[in-house]
Coordinates of all heavy atoms in Angstrom, one line a residue:
W1 N 0.0 7.3 0.2 CA -0.4 7.4 1.6 C 0.0 8.8 2.1 O 1.0 9.4 1.6 CB 0.4 6.4 2.5 CG -0.1 5.0 2.3 CD1 -0.1 4.3 1.1 CD2 -0.7 4.2 3.3 NE1 -0.6 3.0 1.3 CE2 -1.0 2.9 2.6 CE3 -1.0 4.3 4.6 CZ2 -1.6 1.9 3.3 CZ3 -1.6 3.2 5.3 CH2 -1.9 2.0 4.7
S2 N -0.7 9.3 3.1 CA -0.3 10.5 3.7 C 0.8 10.2 4.7 O 0.8 9.1 5.3 CB -1.5 11.1 4.5 OG -1.9 10.3 5.5
S3 N 1.8 11.1 4.8 CA 2.9 10.8 5.6 C 2.7 11.3 7.0 O 2.0 12.4 7.2 CB 4.2 11.5 5.1 OG 5.3 11.3 5.9
D4 N 3.1 10.6 8.0 CA 2.9 11.0 9.4 C 4.2 11.6 10.0 O 4.3 11.7 11.2 CB 2.5 9.8 10.3 CG 3.5 8.7 10.2 OD1 4.5 8.8 9.4 OD2 3.2 7.6 10.8
A5 N 5.1 12.0 9.1 CA 6.3 12.6 9.6 C 6.1 13.9 10.3 O 6.7 14.2 11.3 CB 7.3 12.8 8.4
H6 N 5.2 14.8 9.8 CA 5.0 16.1 10.4 C 3.5 16.3 10.7 O 3.0 17.4 10.6 CB 5.4 17.2 9.4 CG 6.9 17.1 9.0 ND1 7.9 17.5 9.8 CD2 7.5 16.7 7.9 CE1 9.1 17.3 9.2 NE2 8.8 16.8 8.0
S7 N 2.9 15.2 11.0 CA 1.4 15.3 11.3 C 1.2 14.4 12.6 O 1.8 13.4 12.8 CB 0.6 14.8 10.2 OG -0.8 14.8 10.5
S8 N 0.2 15.0 13.4 CA -0.2 14.2 14.6 C -1.2 13.1 14.2 O -1.4 12.2 15.1 CB -0.9 15.2 15.6 OG -2.0 15.8 15.0
Q9 N -1.7 13.1 13.0 CA -2.7 12.0 12.6 C -1.9 10.9 12.0 O -0.8 11.0 11.4 CB -3.6 12.6 11.6 CG -4.5 13.7 12.1 CD -5.5 14.2 11.0 OE1 -5.5 13.7 9.9 NE2 -6.3 15.2 11.4
P10 N -2.4 9.6 12.2 CA -1.8 8.5 11.6 C -1.8 8.5 10.1 O -2.7 9.1 9.5 CB -2.6 7.3 12.2 CG -3.9 7.9 12.5 CD -3.7 9.3 12.9
S11 N -0.9 7.8 9.5 CA -0.8 7.7 8.0 C -2.0 7.0 7.5 O -2.5 6.0 8.1 CB 0.5 7.0 7.6 OG 0.5 6.9 6.2
R12 N -2.6 7.5 6.3 CA -3.8 7.0 5.7 C -3.5 6.7 4.2 O -2.8 7.4 3.6 CB -4.9 7.9 5.9 CG -5.4 8.2 7.3 CD -6.5 9.3 7.4 NE -6.0 10.6 6.9 CZ -6.3 11.2 5.8 NH1 -7.2 10.6 5.0 NH2 -5.8 12.4 5.5
R13 N -4.1 5.6 3.7 CA -4.0 5.4 2.3 C -5.0 6.3 1.5 O -6.2 6.2 1.7 CB -4.3 3.9 2.0 CG -4.1 3.5 0.5 CD -4.1 2.1 0.3 NE -5.5 1.5 0.4 CZ -5.8 0.2 0.1 NH1 -4.9 -0.6 -0.3 NH2 -7.1 -0.2 0.3
L14 N -4.5 7.1 0.7 CA -5.3 8.1 -0.1 C -5.7 7.6 -1.5 O -6.8 7.9 -2.0 CB -4.6 9.4 -0.2 CG -4.1 10.0 1.1 CD1 -3.3 11.3 0.8 CD2 -5.3 10.3 2.0
F15 N -4.8 6.7 -2.1 CA -5.1 6.3 -3.4 C -4.4 5.0 -3.7 O -3.3 4.7 -3.2 CB -4.7 7.4 -4.4 CG -4.6 6.9 -5.9 CD1 -5.8 6.8 -6.6 CD2 -3.5 6.4 -6.5 CE1 -5.8 6.4 -7.9 CE2 -3.5 6.0 -7.8 CZ -4.6 6.0 -8.5
Y16 N -5.1 4.1 -4.5 CA -4.4 2.9 -5.1 C -5.0 2.6 -6.4 O -6.2 3.0 -6.7 CB -4.5 1.7 -4.1 CG -5.9 1.2 -3.9 CD1 -6.3 0.0 -4.6 CD2 -6.7 1.7 -3.0 CE1 -7.5 -0.5 -4.4 CE2 -8.0 1.2 -2.8 CZ -8.4 0.1 -3.5 OH -9.6 -0.4 -3.3
N17 N -4.3 2.0 -7.3 CA -4.8 1.8 -8.7 C -5.8 0.7 -8.8 O -5.5 -0.4 -9.4 CB -3.6 1.6 -9.6 CG -2.8 0.4 -9.2 OD1 -2.8 0.0 -8.0 ND2 -2.0 -0.2 -10.1
Q18 N -7.0 0.9 -8.2 CA -8.0 -0.2 -8.1 C -8.5 -0.5 -9.5 O -9.1 -1.6 -9.7 CB -9.1 0.3 -7.2 CG -9.7 1.7 -7.6 CD -10.6 2.2 -6.5 OE1 -10.7 1.6 -5.5 NE2 -11.3 3.3 -6.9
K19 N -8.5 0.4 -10.5 CA -9.1 0.1 -11.8 C -8.2 -0.8 -12.6 O -8.6 -1.4 -13.6 CB -9.3 1.5 -12.6 CG -10.3 2.3 -11.9 CD -10.5 3.6 -12.8 CE -11.6 4.5 -12.2 NZ -11.9 5.7 -13.0
K20 N -7.0 -0.9 -12.2 CA -6.0 -1.7 -13.0 C -6.0 -3.1 -12.5 O -5.4 -4.0 -13.1 CB -4.6 -1.1 -12.9 CG -4.5 0.2 -13.6 CD -4.6 0.0 -15.1 CE -4.3 1.3 -15.9 NZ -4.4 1.2 -17.3
I21 N -6.5 -3.4 -11.3 CA -6.4 -4.7 -10.7 C -7.8 -5.2 -10.4 O -8.8 -4.4 -10.3 CB -5.6 -4.7 -9.4 CG1 -6.1 -3.8 -8.4 CG2 -4.1 -4.4 -9.7 CD1 -5.4 -3.8 -7.1
K22 N -8.0 -6.5 -10.4 CA -9.3 -7.1 -10.2 C -9.4 -8.0 -8.9 O -10.1 -8.9 -8.8 CB -9.7 -8.0 -11.4 CG -9.7 -7.2 -12.7 CD -10.1 -8.1 -13.9 CE -10.1 -7.4 -15.2 NZ -10.4 -8.2 -16.3
F23 N -8.6 -7.6 -7.9 CA -8.6 -8.3 -6.7 C -8.3 -7.3 -5.6 O -7.7 -6.3 -5.8 CB -7.6 -9.5 -6.7 CG -6.1 -9.0 -6.9 CD1 -5.4 -8.6 -5.8 CD2 -5.6 -9.0 -8.2 CE1 -4.1 -8.2 -6.0 CE2 -4.3 -8.5 -8.4 CZ -3.5 -8.1 -7.3
S24 N -8.8 -7.7 -4.4 CA -8.5 -6.8 -3.2 C -7.3 -7.4 -2.5 O -7.1 -8.6 -2.5 CB -9.8 -6.8 -2.3 OG -10.1 -8.1 -1.9
Y25 N -6.6 -6.5 -1.8 CA -5.5 -6.9 -1.0 C -5.3 -5.9 0.2 O -5.8 -4.8 0.1 CB -4.2 -6.9 -1.9 CG -3.9 -5.5 -2.4 CD1 -3.0 -4.7 -1.7 CD2 -4.4 -5.1 -3.6 CE1 -2.7 -3.4 -2.2 CE2 -4.1 -3.8 -4.1 CZ -3.2 -3.0 -3.4 OH -2.9 -1.8 -3.9
P26 N -4.7 -6.4 1.2 CA -4.5 -5.4 2.3 C -3.6 -4.3 2.0 O -2.8 -4.4 1.0 CB -3.9 -6.4 3.4 CG -3.3 -7.5 2.7 CD -4.2 -7.7 1.5
P27 N -3.6 -3.2 2.7 CA -2.7 -2.1 2.4 C -1.2 -2.5 2.4 O -0.9 -3.4 3.2 CB -3.0 -1.1 3.5 CG -4.4 -1.4 3.9 CD -4.5 -2.9 3.8
L28 N -0.5 -1.9 1.6 CA 1.0 -2.2 1.5 C 1.7 -1.4 2.7 O 1.6 -0.2 2.8 CB 1.6 -1.7 0.2 CG 0.9 -2.4 -1.1 CD1 1.5 -1.7 -2.3 CD2 1.1 -3.9 -1.1
I29 N 2.3 -2.2 3.5 CA 3.0 -1.6 4.7 C 4.5 -1.5 4.4 O 4.9 -0.4 3.9 CB 2.7 -2.4 6.0 CG1 1.2 -2.6 6.2 CG2 3.4 -1.7 7.2 CD1 0.4 -1.3 6.3
G30 N 5.2 -2.5 4.6 CA 6.7 -2.5 4.3 C 7.5 -1.5 5.1 O 7.0 -0.7 5.8
D31 N 8.8 -1.6 5.0 CA 9.7 -0.8 5.7 C 10.0 0.4 4.8 O 10.2 0.3 3.6 CB 11.0 -1.5 6.0 CG 10.8 -2.7 7.0 OD1 9.8 -2.5 7.8 OD2 11.5 -3.7 6.9
P32 N 10.1 1.6 5.4 CA 10.4 2.8 4.6 C 11.8 2.8 4.0 O 12.7 2.4 4.6 CB 10.2 4.0 5.6 CG 10.4 3.3 7.0 CD 9.9 1.9 6.9
N33 N 11.8 3.3 2.8 CA 13.1 3.5 2.1 C 13.9 2.1 1.9 O 15.1 2.1 1.8 CB 14.0 4.5 2.7 CG 13.3 5.8 2.8 OD1 12.6 6.3 1.9 ND2 13.5 6.5 4.0
K34 N 13.1 1.0 1.9 CA 13.7 -0.3 1.7 C 12.9 -1.1 0.7 O 11.7 -0.8 0.5 CB 13.8 -1.0 3.0 CG 14.9 -0.5 4.0 CD 15.0 -1.3 5.2 CE 16.0 -0.8 6.2 NZ 16.1 -1.6 7.4
V35 N 13.4 -2.2 0.2 CA 12.7 -3.1 -0.6 C 12.4 -4.3 0.2 O 13.3 -5.0 0.7 CB 13.6 -3.5 -1.9 CG1 12.8 -4.5 -2.8 CG2 13.9 -2.2 -2.7
T36 N 11.1 -4.6 0.3 CA 10.6 -5.7 1.1 C 9.7 -6.6 0.2 O 9.2 -6.2 -0.8 CB 9.9 -5.3 2.4 OG1 8.8 -4.5 2.0 CG2 10.8 -4.6 3.3
E37 N 9.6 -7.9 0.6 CA 8.7 -8.8 -0.1 C 7.4 -8.9 0.6 O 7.3 -9.1 1.8 CB 9.4 -10.2 -0.1 CG 8.7 -11.2 -1.0 CD 9.4 -12.5 -1.0 OE1 10.4 -12.6 -1.7 OE2 8.8 -13.5 -0.4
V38 N 6.3 -8.8 -0.2 CA 5.0 -8.9 0.3 C 4.2 -9.8 -0.6 O 4.6 -10.2 -1.7 CB 4.2 -7.5 0.3 CG1 4.9 -6.5 1.2 CG2 4.2 -6.9 -1.1
I39 N 3.1 -10.3 -0.1 CA 2.2 -11.3 -0.9 C 0.9 -10.7 -1.0 O 0.3 -10.2 0.0 CB 2.2 -12.6 -0.1 CG1 3.6 -13.3 -0.1 CG2 1.2 -13.6 -0.9 CD1 3.6 -14.6 0.7
A40 N 0.3 -10.6 -2.2 CA -1.0 -10.1 -2.5 C -1.7 -11.1 -3.5 O -1.1 -11.3 -4.6 CB -1.0 -8.7 -3.0
N41 N -2.8 -11.6 -3.1 CA -3.6 -12.5 -4.0 C -2.8 -13.7 -4.4 O -2.8 -14.3 -5.5 CB -4.0 -11.8 -5.3 CG -5.1 -12.5 -6.0 OD1 -6.0 -13.2 -5.4 ND2 -5.1 -12.4 -7.3
G42 N -1.9 -14.2 -3.4 CA -1.1 -15.4 -3.6 C 0.1 -15.2 -4.5 O 0.9 -16.1 -4.7
N43 N 0.4 -13.9 -4.9 CA 1.6 -13.6 -5.7 C 2.6 -12.9 -4.9 O 2.2 -12.1 -4.0 CB 1.2 -12.8 -6.9 CG 0.3 -13.5 -7.9 OD1 0.5 -14.7 -8.1 ND2 -0.7 -12.9 -8.4
K44 N 3.9 -13.0 -5.2 CA 4.9 -12.3 -4.5 C 5.3 -11.0 -5.2 O 5.3 -11.0 -6.4 CB 6.2 -13.2 -4.4 CG 6.0 -14.5 -3.5 CD 7.3 -15.3 -3.4 CE 7.1 -16.5 -2.5 NZ 8.4 -17.3 -2.4
Y45 N 5.5 -10.0 -4.4 CA 5.8 -8.7 -4.9 C 7.0 -8.2 -4.2 O 7.3 -8.5 -3.0 CB 4.7 -7.7 -4.7 CG 3.5 -7.9 -5.6 CD1 2.5 -8.9 -5.3 CD2 3.2 -7.1 -6.7 CE1 1.4 -9.1 -6.1 CE2 2.1 -7.3 -7.5 CZ 1.2 -8.3 -7.2 OH 0.1 -8.5 -8.0

C-alpha cells in the first residue's frame, strides 16, 4: 500500500499476490505496527 503519512492522498493498495491465491478477499486493513486477526475466505489470519 501507499503510505499516507506524508501525502494528502488516501492510502491505496498497489500490489497483492493474486497469482498465488485463487480467491478474492477485501483489502487488509489492520492496525499499524501491530498483529491483528483477520478473516479471508473463511480462514483466520
Side-chain angles (χ1 to χ4, degrees):
W1 289 62
S2 62
S3 178
D4 55 359
H6 301 285
S7 175
S8 59
Q9 296 181 0
S11 179
R12 296 174 294 110
R13 186 170 69 173
L14 304 177
F15 168 80
Y16 67 99
N17 56 337
Q18 54 192 7
K19 293 182 179 180
K20 292 290 183 179
I21 58 176
K22 299 179 180 180
F23 58 87
S24 60
Y25 62 92
L28 301 175
I29 305 302
D31 296 329
N33 302 322
K34 291 184 179 180
V35 179
T36 56
E37 184 179 290
V38 296
I39 298 177
N41 196 33
N43 296 321
K44 292 183 178 180
Y45 288 80

